[in-house]
Amino acid sequence: MTTSTVTVTAPSAARQTSGASDPRRLRLRRRLAQWGFVAPAVVFMLLFFGYPLVRNVVMSFQHYTPKTFFTGEAPFNGVDNWSKVFQDALFGKALWHTLVFTAGSLLGQFCIGLALAVFFSRRFPLNGVLRSLILLPWLVPMVVSGIVWRRILDQDTGVLNSFLDTIGLGGHTPWLTSPGMALLSVILVNIWIGIPFNMVILYGGLQEIPKELYEAASLDGASAWRSFRSVTLPMLRPVITVVLVLGFMSTVKILDLILALTDGGPADATQTLGTLTYQNSFVQLDFGAGAVVGNVLILVSAVFAVFYLRANRSEGK
Amino acid sequence: MSKRFNATTRYRFTSWTVGRQGRDPATACRGGRSHRAVVPLAVVSVLVAGAALSGCGRQPDSDTYTVLNSSTDETYHRWDAEAMARCGKQLGVTIEQQSVPAAQVMTKSLRMASSKSLPDIVQFDASEMPTFAEAGGLIDLRTLGLGTGDIPQGIVNFGSYKGTYYGAARSVNTLALFYNKDILAKAGLKVPTTWDELRESARTLTHGKQYGLALSAGGAEDGVFQFTPFMWSNGGDERQLDGPRVVEALDFWKSLLKDHSLSKSTVSWTQADVNDQFMAGNAAMMINGPWQVETLNTKKSLHWGIARIPVPKAGDKSVGPLGGAVLTVPDTGDRAREKTAGRIVACLSSEKEQLTYALNSWMVPANEKAAAQWRKRVPELDALADQVAAARSRTAEVGAGWSSVSLALQSAFQSALTGESSTSALKRAQQRATSGN
């Protein structure tokens, strides 16, 4: 105000410009407003994401045991937890199972989901009813699905084996009881759970593709397969990225389904990073080791997140 | 539990109303566009955070004492509530119970310890108690005036860690051989008492959809609990998992599976699943515990009997695992409350309360006098009382290290039952159990 050099004659004009005339104050105000809008989000992120994340990393370098809860003391022990976890043969196994589980689940969910989405984007009677029925697995809580599937897949009394027996296909498959089969069975159940999500999002994406493109393609003499490859897939790419990334995030950290289906067994055949963290932290109460596995899981997700952001940026250009 | 819930809702409600009231004056006096939204938002976020943080603290009510237990089943919750009401009346206090699933008692107690809001009494599974005791979280019950005169030494040890008596058991349980009387009678078989007899009978009784024997070799504590009577009766030691006696016990399990006397699903069954199979007539015999009796009795057409778990050779002692929960008094720093908590534990584990609880839950009273009366009242479970008298605590040798032993053992018998040799599976288990600590 004091440095104002504007020569003003009319009082009405003066009132109008008195606030706005000072560029510094204006800027400050705008800055403040901007930060004000950002603040709740920042506070939220720091409190609920930043703090636990940092805490988890710190914890992985600490000797954190039940005693810590009483004394509050968790002495730093360097990389002891890390070397202990990495030397454990179970960690390598769990990492491998996690990768196989994630890749297998995503592949199955995505392919079947896409096929169903393409199928339902045609018009035919009962389309809506069938589409909503397919959503059911999504509505059932994960633990309920797990328990029901555990019964279905029981080797002696399960419905699936009885059915296979009736149609003359053996019927003694050790779905959950053989270490060689269990991981595959768990993946199959997870595919069943994931199909609706993939289908819904991809179906939405298909609706966005302009019909003219298909008309043009057919005028050019493109076959159905060709127009799927050259029109549908490229146009769906942004949606596909989202589906795969969200699918990855929810699959890589899998815990509840496996606990309900196999408890990580038989003979650790379905141990994943998620179940290993759980076992370390909440069964053995070795929170340091649990934090190490948790960090590895975060790291894996972070690598994937970077890929996602990259893909998104190139799409934006 | 309901109390906690109310507190949270009240906090949430308060912060919301304050946030909304805060919006109007802000809009009225400033008029600045930017502040209009920012101030209430900030107020709300600070209040929510404040409410969330202050929600951790718990103000104890002077005459209300809290027991944290795992009685989430309606029946157990009710029996406990009744016992607590009687003891509360006797001692002139109010006793409330907070029940969480068994697997969460330990982690919840640890969290409560770090936020200095421990309940007055915690009921731990006896295999978990040493972990909490080792962390320094429990009070020696003898210093609170609890006696152990009428309790058999085995059960005193069951509630002790490194010689200090921390946990008072109301009742204990163990495993026994349950058999279907009709099926055995029809086959003209006697109840097996040795491994050879068990193997032979199980083989004879296996036909069609029916297996001779059902047991749980699942990948959790259930399976380990079931393996211990075979390991211990054969002289095996949990500190030496790759010892020949343990290998023999596991080989015996493998032979049952090889004979097809056990279902291949054994590796995925919990003890509850085993009970379902037995009740459905899919198994002629099963290894299980008295907590299943309530369910077994709901099927009137099922005539079951109970016997000691067969031993390797005639004349060997049948050693089962002691199971059950113990009442402990955590160290809250408030000596006066701890004293009263000790009196509550004494009342809940008194001879009379033990008998009531044991008759309800079909478990064996820890107190000798109560157990003698219980035998007269429930003669059909006599074999169980014998088995309890010789049973052994899982943590007696390895203490807080039990969880590592248990995890290693689960993995080992599951590997062995699905193809690996017992020797190599147990060798790995021994390495894993010892590297864990």
Side-chain angles (χ1 to χ4, degrees):
Chain A
M1 283 283 257
T2 44
T3 53
S4 176
T5 51
V6 190
T7 48
V8 193
T9 44
S12 64
R15 206 178 303 134
Q16 259 182 6
T17 46
S18 66
S21 63
D22 184 348
R24 235 192 288 165
R25 200 178 152 184
L26 189 74
R27 215 178 306 138
L28 189 75
R29 227 171 152 183
R30 193 170 288 163
R31 186 60 59 78
L32 218 72
Q34 284 166 348
W35 278 108
F37 276 107
V38 174
V42 170
V43 168
F44 180 81
M45 293 285 283
L46 285 180
L47 209 63
F48 294 103
F49 291 90
Y51 176 73
L53 207 68
V54 171
R55 203 68 199 77
N56 204 50
V57 172
V58 172
M59 199 188 266
S60 69
F61 294 101
Q62 283 177 317
H63 187 59
Y64 204 105
T65 59
K67 220 179 200 130
T68 310
F69 287 87
F70 291 91
T71 58
E73 287 164 20
F76 284 94
N77 59 357
V79 290
D80 281 9
N81 293 330
W82 290 81
S83 64
K84 189 181 134 195
V85 166
F86 287 146
Q87 273 165 20
D88 186 0
L90 198 54
F91 175 77
K93 255 183 167 180
L95 185 63
W96 173 243
H97 294 156
T98 309
L99 295 179
V100 172
F101 179 82
T102 310
S105 298
L106 285 187
L107 196 73
Q109 291 172 359
F110 178 76
C111 291
I112 300 177
L114 182 61
L116 283 171
V118 171
F119 175 67
F120 280 112
S121 56
R122 296 149 176 262
R123 288 170 162 269
F124 58 88
L126 288 183
N127 181 317
V129 178
L130 287 174
R131 201 148 38 86
S132 43
L133 278 180
I134 284 191
L135 290 184
L136 278 178
W138 203 9
L139 300 177
V140 180
M142 192 76 111
V143 175
V144 175
S145 306
I147 290 169
V148 170
W149 274 102
R150 202 162 81 89
R151 300 212 159 186
I152 295 175
L153 296 174
D154 188 280
Q155 190 174 351
D156 296 318
T157 54
V159 179
L160 184 60
N161 273 352
S162 309
F163 172 73
L164 290 177
D165 197 27
T166 319
I167 60 167
L169 281 174
H172 296 287
T173 317
W175 295 108
L176 295 173
T177 47
S178 138
M181 278 296 286
L183 188 61
L184 178 70
S185 307
V186 176
I187 292 174
L188 289 177
V189 173
N190 195 46
I191 289 177
W192 175 82
I193 292 172
I195 288 173
F197 170 75
N198 281 262
M199 190 198 81
V200 166
I201 309 260
L202 292 170
Y203 178 81
L206 285 177
Q207 305 302 304
E208 295 292 306
I209 303 176
K211 296 281 170 287
E212 298 80 41
L213 289 177
Y214 291 103
E215 281 165 21
S218 71
L219 282 178
D220 288 342
S223 63
W225 171 240
R226 183 65 207 262
S227 68
F228 174 77
R229 244 185 47 203
S230 304
V231 178
T232 312
L233 277 185
M235 292 300 286
L236 261 186
R237 248 194 71 188
V239 180
I240 291 175
T241 323
V242 170
V243 163
L244 287 182
V245 168
L246 291 180
F248 177 86
M249 297 289 182
S250 62
T251 310
V252 77
K253 66 175 168 60
I254 191 77
L255 172 72
D256 39 8
L257 180 68
I258 291 185
L259 285 187
L261 271 177
T262 62
D263 234 332
D268 298 321
T270 52
Q271 291 277 10
T272 59
L273 293 181
T275 58
L276 200 60
T277 315
Y278 172 78
Q279 214 173 65
N280 275 321
S281 295
F282 299 113
V283 180
Q284 291 197 286
L285 303 172
D286 185 346
F287 297 93
V292 171
V293 185
N295 284 329
V296 172
L297 202 52
I298 293 171
L299 213 67
V300 172
S301 303
V303 168
F304 210 79
V306 168
F307 277 120
Y308 170 64
L309 291 176
R310 276 270 170 84
N312 250 10
R313 202 172 302 156
S314 60
E315 222 111 71
K317 275 178 192 169
Chain B
M1 219 141 104
S2 62
K3 207 174 168 192
R4 263 188 110 66
F5 177 69
N6 282 339
T8 348
T9 20
R10 198 165 54 232
Y11 274 125
R12 220 176 272 156
F13 182 69
T14 321
S15 65
W16 178 232
T17 31
V18 171
R20 279 183 52 174
Q21 280 165 357
R23 172 180 284 187
D24 298 329
T27 341
C29 57
R30 309 259 161 142
R33 213 175 158 194
S34 54
H35 293 280
R36 207 172 283 178
V38 176
V39 172
L41 267 179
V43 168
V44 167
S45 50
V46 167
L47 279 173
V48 167
L53 293 176
S54 64
C56 303
R58 185 180 63 93
Q59 245 64 55
D61 199 348
S62 57
D63 274 341
T64 304
Y65 287 76
T66 325
V67 181
L68 178 67
N69 61 18
S70 59
S71 309
T72 46
D73 282 0
E74 193 273 327
T75 43
Y76 284 86
H77 198 79
R78 178 157 43 84
W79 298 330
D80 275 333
E82 286 164 6
M84 286 169 196
R86 284 191 295 269
C87 285
K89 204 169 168 197
Q90 193 185 316
L91 298 167
V93 293
T94 313
I95 309 171
E96 280 180 355
Q97 59 175 333
Q98 262 188 38
S99 305
V100 297
Q104 290 172 23
V105 173
M106 175 56 77
T107 46
K108 185 167 172 82
S109 309
L110 287 175
R111 279 202 314 270
M112 291 170 114
S114 73
S115 65
K116 309 267 179 261
S117 60
L118 275 167
D120 300 288
I121 294 164
V122 181
Q123 179 178 315
F124 281 112
D125 186 272
S127 68
E128 288 188 330
M129 181 274 289
T131 307
F132 209 76
E134 194 189 55
L138 296 178
I139 299 279
D140 181 354
L141 290 182
R142 287 197 178 100
T143 64
L144 297 176
L146 268 87
T148 50
D150 291 335
I151 307 169
Q153 193 54 42
I155 297 177
V156 174
N157 292 345
F158 176 68
S160 302
Y161 177 61
K162 289 192 176 158
T164 311
Y165 181 58
Y166 291 113
R170 285 189 286 173
S171 67
V172 287
N173 63 62
T174 187
L175 291 169
L177 179 76
F178 287 69
Y179 56 92
N180 187 316
K181 284 181 175 168
D182 297 339
I183 296 179
L184 259 72
K186 212 168 131 200
L189 288 171
K190 279 198 305 186
V191 181
T193 55
T194 63
W195 283 7
D196 285 341
E197 286 174 22
L198 178 64
R199 191 171 170 187
E200 203 46 52
S201 305
R203 194 157 33 192
T204 318
L205 292 168
T206 302
H207 45 73
K209 282 192 78 178
Q210 173 188 305
Y211 286 98
L213 180 68
L215 55 82
S216 156
E221 187 66 19
D222 271 20
V224 182
F225 197 62
Q226 297 236 331
F227 185 65
T228 52
F230 294 90
M231 172 167 93
W232 286 336
S233 299
N234 197 38
D237 187 339
E238 57 272 34
R239 287 170 299 184
Q240 196 61 51
L241 291 176
D242 50 355
R245 299 300 192 152
V246 187
V247 174
E248 276 169 26
L250 187 48
D251 277 337
F252 178 64
W253 266 22
K254 282 190 78 158
S255 70
L256 291 171
L257 196 71
K258 206 173 118 226
D259 293 347
H260 302 291
S261 305
L262 286 177
S263 161
K264 286 217 167 64
S265 301
T266 300
V267 288
S268 66
W269 280 345
T270 62
Q271 298 187 105
D273 294 330
V274 168
N275 197 50
D276 286 346
Q277 296 294 328
F278 182 74
M279 282 181 76
N282 294 336
M285 300 180 281
M286 70 166 173
I287 306 289
N288 226 321
W291 58 90
Q292 309 288 12
V293 170
E294 177 114 342
T295 321
L296 284 174
N297 283 344
T298 57
K299 193 173 172 186
K300 290 280 175 287
S301 60
L302 180 73
H303 303 111
W304 54 272
I306 186 169
R308 287 196 186 201
I309 294 179
V311 289
K313 288 183 307 295
D316 285 347
K317 209 167 142 197
S318 180
V319 187
L322 265 183
V326 290
L327 294 166
T328 64
V329 177
D331 185 353
T332 54
D334 185 339
R335 298 290 165 236
R337 280 184 81 86
E338 284 165 5
K339 268 244 138 42
T340 314
R343 280 205 288 276
I344 295 172
V345 170
C347 174
L348 287 174
S349 59
S350 66
E351 197 184 315
K352 209 177 107 220
E353 287 299 338
Q354 282 201 13
L355 187 63
T356 315
Y357 188 75
L359 287 172
N360 275 331
S361 62
W362 301 96
M363 298 202 208
V364 187
N367 182 298
E368 256 162 0
K369 289 180 192 159
Q373 287 189 50
W374 180 83
R375 271 182 196 247
K376 280 184 218 142
R377 304 268 291 270
V378 209
E380 67 268 33
L381 293 185
D382 212 38
L384 197 78
D386 291 338
Q387 187 100 47
V388 158
R392 191 167 143 183
S393 145
R394 279 162 288 167
T395 52
E397 306 281 357
V398 292
W402 177 256
S403 65
S404 301
V405 170
S406 170
L407 282 176
L409 201 50
Q410 286 162 32
S411 172
F413 61 65
Q414 291 213 322
S415 302
L417 290 178
T418 50
E420 203 183 343
S421 85
S422 302
T423 318
S424 69
L426 284 166
K427 194 162 270 168
R428 209 176 50 245
Q430 176 64 16
Q431 279 165 6
R432 215 175 130 187
T434 44
S435 76
N437 289 297

